Amino acid sequence: MSEPARLTLDEVHALAMEIFAAHGLSEDQATAVADTVTAAERDDCKSHGLFRVPGYMASVKSGKVTPDAVPAVHHLAPGVVQVDARNGFAPLALKVGREPLAGKAREQGIAVLALVNGYHFAALWPETEALAEQGLVAFACTSYMPCVAPAGGTRPLYGTNPIAFSWPRGEGKPPMVFDQATAASARGEIMIHERDGKPIPEGWAIDPDGNPTTDPAAGLAGAQLPFGGYKGAAVALMVELLAGALIGDAFSYEAGGRDNGDGGPSKGGEFMFAIDPARCTGGDGSDEGRAAQLAHAEGIFEKILEQDGARLPSDRRYEARRRTPAEGITIPRSLYDALMELKAG
Ligand code: NDP
């Protein structure tokens, strides 16, 4: 087997930018997507790093995504901001929506961001973590294309529908963040198992006949399963309703029905909310109120960490974040070769 390719984080970003420029992305679109891809590599989230670049570019080549889209921000209500991605990738829309959402959350105590007409192909933690770094509690969810069967069913209906939640921490500590698919695994994880010729764990998927399978190809052709049976399926349904019906965008099955199958992301919505803790205890919104709540939260984090084997969600990512700026990252040689071809246009 050929040696993996090793890159610094600057090289990851530069390579992504070159590929995006070669495919006509505007500077703003290219920078936002390259930042997201680089952050995923930095935090060792391989299924949303450079691995995603061929899919992003497939959706530009096929004419599905507008490579120079300029998102439009609409203030729909005192506590609701809508960002219309205008057929572009989600990272730029999220970037322009962040400050309006944070501003409304500080003013109102709570605010919603409705991202519509965008193509989300990334992890969700970057958008919730960025808000928690500003002292806000944040939640995000998005639907996808139909690939997960409802509880008891055998055919794809829900997307892998991830949910992310971030909690700010004081004293220079990075936020507590969890970000998870409501499927038993992210679809990209099954694709990576297929690429690497490895079986998938039991409980991730069923084959086209509805039988349990550990064959990644059969699982991709059949249906993924929600985490936790009917309980995960209910959360997946909630995501469909929040990121679809509530904000006026598509359900996963509708997004799948109109997608051109180019292998890139499908068009859909993302729902977020942000809460200012300083507004939730009847205080005047001052930093002191927030500090008491954050200090209280540290108590439960300490209780978790005093148990052997337990850790906080996001600690794995933060550990990778400390390591990769010096060590760099590796990607399979086959992916590197594919990226070099894309760089050539
Ligand atoms: P994982 O199952 O790998 O992890 C889910 C969460 O659990 C993470 O926050 C992780 O933190 C945490 N975690 C894992 N193990 C432990 C543990 N032992 N103790 C405490 N916390 C733990 O993620 P998924 O495979 O479900 O999803 C991967 C990514 O795919 C997500 O980022 C998601 O947003 C993305 N995705 C995007 C989609 C899209 O359409 N855009 C669709 C579906 C998924 P840590 O990271 O620190 O390990």
Side-chain angles (χ1 to χ4, degrees), residues 209-236:
D209 299 321
N211 300 312
T213 184
T214 57
D215 174 358
L220 289 170
Q224 290 180 245
L225 293 171
F227 78 90
Y230 63 86
K231 296 183 183 180
V235 182

Side-chain angles (χ1 to χ4, degrees), residues 43-45 47-48 52 120-126 142-145 159-164 177-189 204 266 304 309-318:
D43 283 13
D44 194 21
C45 297
S47 56
H48 292 88
R52 290 279 166 180
H120 205 299
F121 212 33
L124 296 185
W125 56 259
T142 186
S143 55
Y144 181 56
M145 279 193 269
T160 43
N161 294 7
I163 55 172
V177 184
F178 74 75
D179 176 16
Q180 61 192 56
T182 51
S185 75
R187 196 162 185 82
E189 286 298 330
W204 279 19
S266 57
I304 293 168
R311 69 167 171 93
L312 297 184
S314 62
D315 277 358
R316 180 199 62 84
R317 284 195 303 106
Y318 293 141

Side-chain angles (χ1 to χ4, degrees), residues 19-77:
I19 292 170
F20 298 157
H23 289 79
L25 264 69
S26 65
E27 181 78 13
D28 284 349
Q29 285 282 345
T31 303
V33 182
D35 288 352
T36 302
V37 164
T38 307
E41 291 291 349
R42 179 200 64 197
D43 283 13
D44 194 21
C45 297
K46 289 303 201 185
S47 56
H48 292 88
L50 289 168
F51 173 70
R52 290 279 166 180
V53 169
Y56 277 115
M57 293 305 92
S59 61
V60 173
K61 279 186 192 169
S62 75
K64 189 168 79 182
V65 171
T66 306
D68 56 355
V70 179
V73 176
H74 304 289
H75 295 273
L76 301 186

Side-chain angles (χ1 to χ4, degrees), residues 24-25 28 30 76 84 100 102 142 166 233 245 249 268 277 283 306 317 319 323:
L25 264 69
D28 284 349
L76 301 186
D84 183 345
T142 186
S166 295
D249 212 304
E306 70 190 24
R317 284 195 303 106
E319 195 280 321
R323 207 170 7 94

Side-chain angles (χ1 to χ4, degrees), residues 64 143-148 157-160 252-253 255-256 259 264-266:
K64 189 168 79 182
S143 55
Y144 181 56
M145 279 193 269
C147 37
V148 175
L157 177 67
Y158 304 138
T160 43
S252 296
Y253 76 87
D259 190 71
S266 57

Side-chain angles (χ1 to χ4, degrees), residues 83-117:
V83 184
D84 183 345
R86 298 175 74 197
N87 208 52
F89 292 121
L92 181 59
L94 289 162
K95 198 168 164 180
V96 304
R98 185 177 309 140
E99 286 319 310
L101 173 63
K104 281 180 183 294
R106 285 196 201 92
E107 257 173 64
Q108 307 287 130
I110 182 167
V112 161
L113 183 144
L115 190 160
V116 294
N117 294 322

Side-chain angles (χ1 to χ4, degrees), residues 320-345:
R321 192 178 294 185
R322 284 188 286 276
R323 207 170 7 94
T324 53
E327 283 180 12
I329 58 99
T330 60
I331 56 170
R333 183 62 56 181
S334 55
L335 174 58
Y336 183 78
D337 292 345
L339 294 172
M340 286 299 129
E341 272 181 41
L342 283 172
K343 194 172 99 166

